[in-house]
Amino acid sequence: MLSVTEKQAIDHEIALVPYKKASVIEALKIVQQHRGWISDESVEEIAAYLEISPAEVDSVATFYNLIFRKPVGRHVILLCDSISCYVMGYPRLHKLLEDKLHIRMGGTTADNRFTLLPNVCLGCCDHAPALMIDKDLYRDVEPALLDDILKKYE
Amino acid sequence: MERPLTRNIHPDRPALNLKEYEMTGGYTALRKVCSGMTPAALQKLVQDSNLKGRGGAGFNTGIKWSLIPMGEEAASPKYLICNADEMEPGTFKDRLLLEGNPHQLIEGMILAAYAIQANISYVFLRWAYHKAADLIRKSIQEAYDAGYLGKDILGSGFHLDMHLHTGVGRYMCGEETALLNALEGKRATPRAKPPFPQISGLFGKPTIVNNVETLCCVPHIVNNGIEWFKGLSYSEDGGTKLYGVSGKVKRPGVWELPMGVTMRELIEEHAGGMKDGVELKGVLPGGASTDFLTTQHLDIKMDYKSVAAAGSRLGTGTMIVMDSGTCPVGFVHNLQHFFAQESCGWCTPCREGLPWVEKLLLSLEKGEGKKEDIELLDMHTQLLGPGSTFCALAPGAMEPLQSALKYFRDDFEKHIEHKKCPYD
């Protein structure tokens, strides 16, 4: 069941568009914000609320890379793998992060602390390489700085 | 040298709030327009200024606006959308404008909406720009409170609502018709054209989509006129341009400069030249989907026509420099990985062709390539080129590949001869 808070937030979005189903992306964002990810149940609940089929909701949910259809850790690391970061040292950061966290790209640590995901250009190519943890952007990331950065997230 | 767009942007200071923006002359253009300029006159002014779209396509903004149905019988509501998705790899110019002076963008959007008589507007912002999202949300509210948004703006009878939409990823959202689908809550796949968005855009209504930098130019054109705007430029395209340089240069960054500065000035003066120990090998002049230029092109002007004449595109004007220590095959593999991943899957050549290209490049980079692979890559640049696909994603992807095969072909061949990457 969608919570009262979730429903209120979705209703607010529905009011801005000509028909209910146009707010499906916003609904997915709202539910993910509350639950961390989008489960099969969440897909069905959103579908029922917007009066569309679960398949329609899922086609949207699986299209956008920042809607998570699997559980993620408490913090999500998005490592930029686009061209400027590639030139400036992404491959090394990629390897170091996998080694430090003992996970592969796409994985979540055993203690559920971090999920590591590849990500396209973060738009700070003049300070490459870059990564983002939750909403925090880190620029000019030297391998030596990684430990201090990770330490901030429990 | 005048820098109208970035004059009031200081990265070490917070962005201007409404009061501060007004003190720098903010919203005077809107006052001027609301006190008696007709939408047609505003369209004409922008058309004559020769402002060209800064998102990459370089189409005359005023002409784009003029294709919108006007008058009482036009469908309503009409929409004005700011494309702030900035997802072209290597592009980081709109971020500066969004984070540095959000009211400049909002004023530009209100003016653009007035010119086409749109009553609903959206900022379509990429998800990663959290700071910009907070600022724009706050600034939109300030503009409502001051009467610059909402009903009967400054007594003109014109009304406009503005909303912020933050995305959830996918490069495709930057393509204007895919962006419209995303705003309608659908997968961001492109639409067939015609009908063009001006006739049938968001929710089937007349819609204009403009880039952030384009819209930020509009208040300055209204305030200072056509001749002034044209005079800012070194070339026939009006205005200044936000240029960026990233890669192994001494001072990567973004600068507002006269349209048409040379590539040499950008790299050698503004970016401080190459880092010690590496040399310039190639440049993608305007983002990941533009053709390589090389050292022989350093003196070309960075405007739409000159870059096109040299065989590439100005694109977003943010260049990525490839240095002598970076393998061109690895570089292009990284680009094709991106495009293959971001293909929306709608049309077959793009969905199937790009992953094949990516695989071929990976096997070359690992030293497992065969001579025929280069021919296959050549073939793909034709099969995925303009006219064979539903939208511009795959043709854009082929631009750096075809030019890499042209300028750095010996590097591709060496991977096969030596059975390994010579740069490792």
Side-chain angles (χ1 to χ4, degrees):
Chain A
M1 279 283 284
L2 294 175
S3 71
V4 175
T5 332
E6 285 168 340
K7 280 183 184 168
Q8 279 173 347
I10 295 171
D11 287 342
H12 177 78
E13 297 299 332
I14 291 174
L16 295 175
V17 285
Y19 41 85
K20 272 188 182 181
K21 80 176 206 185
S23 54
V24 61
I25 295 177
E26 296 301 327
L28 286 163
K29 278 158 66 178
I30 289 161
V31 172
Q32 179 163 292
Q33 204 184 342
H34 284 91
R35 308 179 185 183
W37 66 295
I38 299 293
S39 64
D40 291 351
E41 290 71 32
S42 302
V43 167
E44 283 168 18
E45 287 163 14
I46 291 169
Y49 199 65
L50 299 181
E51 297 171 321
I52 51 179
S53 74
E56 242 180 305
V57 175
D58 208 14
S59 81
V60 173
T62 52
F63 184 88
Y64 293 100
N65 55 299
L66 292 160
I67 297 295
F68 304 135
R69 282 292 272 114
K70 284 183 189 169
V72 290
R74 292 192 294 282
H75 306 287
V76 176
I77 305 175
L78 299 168
L79 180 62
C80 177
D81 64 2
S82 289
I83 190 64
S84 305
C85 285
Y86 169 80
V87 171
M88 300 305 289
Y90 151 80
R92 212 167 142 214
L93 283 181
H94 175 187
K95 184 163 187 319
L96 261 173
L97 274 169
E98 286 189 338
D99 290 350
K100 276 184 196 300
L101 300 173
H102 307 291
I103 47 173
R104 311 290 290 170
M105 200 52 101
T108 299
T109 54
D111 59 1
N112 206 34
R113 188 169 154 218
F114 289 115
T115 295
L116 177 63
L117 295 174
N119 201 78
V120 298
C121 187
L122 288 165
C124 55
C125 320
D126 50 344
H127 292 280
L131 59 85
M132 194 175 246
I133 305 183
D134 303 335
K135 285 187 171 187
D136 307 325
L137 178 66
Y138 294 94
R139 318 184 308 169
D140 302 305
V141 182
E142 294 286 333
L145 299 173
L146 271 184
D147 283 335
D148 283 339
I149 293 173
L150 295 177
K151 229 187 282 170
K152 295 185 199 165
Y153 301 88
E154 271 316 311
Chain B
M1 198 181 337
E2 284 191 86
R3 295 191 165 96
L5 268 53
T6 57
R7 187 177 55 211
N8 296 307
I9 296 178
H10 305 279
D12 47 339
R13 288 213 303 262
L16 302 185
N17 61 26
L18 179 76
K19 275 235 157 59
E20 292 161 341
Y21 180 63
E22 285 174 328
M23 278 163 63
T24 64
Y27 290 107
T28 52
L30 183 63
R31 283 178 196 284
K32 191 168 165 182
V33 165
C34 284
S35 65
M37 194 168 187
T38 63
L42 181 54
Q43 286 187 14
K44 177 90 173 39
L45 180 82
V46 172
Q47 182 176 333
D48 291 345
S49 75
N50 208 9
L51 168 64
K52 289 185 175 169
R54 306 293 200 235
F59 191 73
N60 180 300
T61 304
I63 295 180
K64 191 177 192 180
W65 292 355
S66 73
L67 301 172
I68 274 269
M70 298 294 285
E72 304 257 311
E73 276 160 37
S76 86
K78 291 188 259 186
Y79 293 94
L80 182 277
I81 295 161
C82 169
N83 186 346
D85 202 43
E86 187 153 80
M87 279 188 71
E88 180 74 20
T91 301
F92 50 99
K93 67 179 182 73
D94 293 338
R95 177 196 282 274
L96 181 73
L97 297 169
L98 292 159
E99 292 181 354
N101 198 352
H103 276 290
Q104 175 174 255
L105 172 65
I106 291 171
E107 186 179 11
M109 286 178 68
I110 302 170
L111 290 167
Y114 181 87
I116 61 164
Q117 292 289 293
N119 297 122
I120 304 178
S121 59
Y122 282 93
V123 180
F124 191 105
L125 182 72
R126 71 171 300 184
W127 65 276
Y129 288 2
H130 296 295
K131 184 179 167 190
D134 292 342
L135 274 168
I136 288 168
R137 215 172 273 127
K138 176 177 148 265
S139 305
I140 289 176
Q141 191 53 52
E142 284 180 328
Y144 268 107
D145 295 343
Y148 298 134
L149 282 171
K151 291 201 167 24
D152 191 21
I153 295 168
L154 300 174
S156 64
F158 173 63
H159 75 270
L160 178 68
D161 282 311
M162 191 176 287
H163 311 291
L164 172 69
H165 174 94
T166 53
V168 269
R170 295 312 292 260
Y171 175 62
M172 270 315 297
C173 293
E175 200 274 344
E176 72 175 1
T177 60
L179 181 151
L180 298 177
N181 277 344
L183 269 180
E184 290 183 8
K186 298 173 183 160
R187 285 179 288 145
T189 51
R191 297 178 179 177
K193 291 191 264 192
F196 288 89
Q198 285 96 330
I199 306 300
S200 176
L202 188 63
F203 299 115
K205 304 294 184 188
T207 303
I208 287 286
V209 183
N210 284 140
N211 167 262
V212 173
E213 186 184 349
T214 312
L215 289 163
C216 287
C217 290
V218 177
H220 302 287
I221 296 171
V222 171
N223 278 329
N224 302 301
I226 295 167
E227 290 315 313
W228 168 85
F229 189 70
K230 285 184 173 169
L232 295 171
S233 165
Y234 290 160
S235 80
E236 64 184 54
D237 305 321
T240 56
K241 176 79 193 80
L242 263 66
Y243 290 105
V245 181
S246 66
K248 286 191 182 158
V249 291
K250 288 199 175 111
R251 290 191 304 271
V254 55
W255 311 273
E256 183 184 8
L257 296 165
M259 174 70 85
V261 296
T262 63
M263 202 155 90
R264 184 186 298 282
E265 181 183 330
L266 274 170
I267 296 173
E268 293 179 1
E269 267 179 52
H270 300 285
M274 300 300 291
K275 282 193 174 188
D276 295 333
V278 290
E279 281 167 36
L280 179 70
K281 186 165 171 110
V283 172
L284 300 179
S289 58
T290 58
D291 276 279
F292 274 102
L293 297 177
T294 71
T295 46
Q296 61 184 296
H297 302 110
L298 276 172
D299 291 308
I300 66 155
K301 283 182 169 187
M302 290 286 285
D303 61 41
Y304 296 98
K305 219 180 190 173
S306 313
V307 181
S312 185
R313 289 188 302 119
L314 178 63
T316 61
T318 41
M319 61 170 69
I320 306 144
V321 168
M322 185 173 76
D323 58 277
S324 54
T326 298
C327 170
V329 177
F331 189 101
V332 177
H333 172 256
N334 174 277
L335 297 175
Q336 300 307 323
H337 166 73
F338 168 81
F339 288 114
Q341 172 187 296
E342 294 302 318
S343 169
C344 74
W346 185 257
C347 73
T348 310
C350 179
R351 181 184 65 241
E352 304 297 328
L354 288 173
W356 194 2
V357 167
E358 185 193 348
K359 267 188 204 164
L360 289 168
L361 288 163
L362 183 63
S363 70
L364 277 173
E365 179 65 358
K366 285 161 115 179
E368 296 161 5
K370 297 184 286 286
K371 203 152 177 266
E372 307 86 83
D373 292 346
I374 296 184
E375 286 156 31
L376 272 173
L377 288 173
D378 281 331
M379 189 179 84
H380 275 86
T381 62
Q382 299 299 316
L383 293 175
L384 300 184
S388 306
T389 59
F390 199 76
C391 83
L393 187 139
M398 291 303 101
E399 291 182 24
L401 176 62
Q402 71 191 9
S403 46
L405 287 164
K406 176 174 160 193
Y407 294 119
F408 315 121
R409 201 170 189 93
D410 55 334
D411 282 303
F412 285 76
E413 285 163 353
K414 273 185 204 153
H415 281 73
I416 299 167
E417 278 166 39
H418 301 173
K419 293 194 168 28
K420 69 181 190 80
C421 174
Y423 291 81
D424 273 347

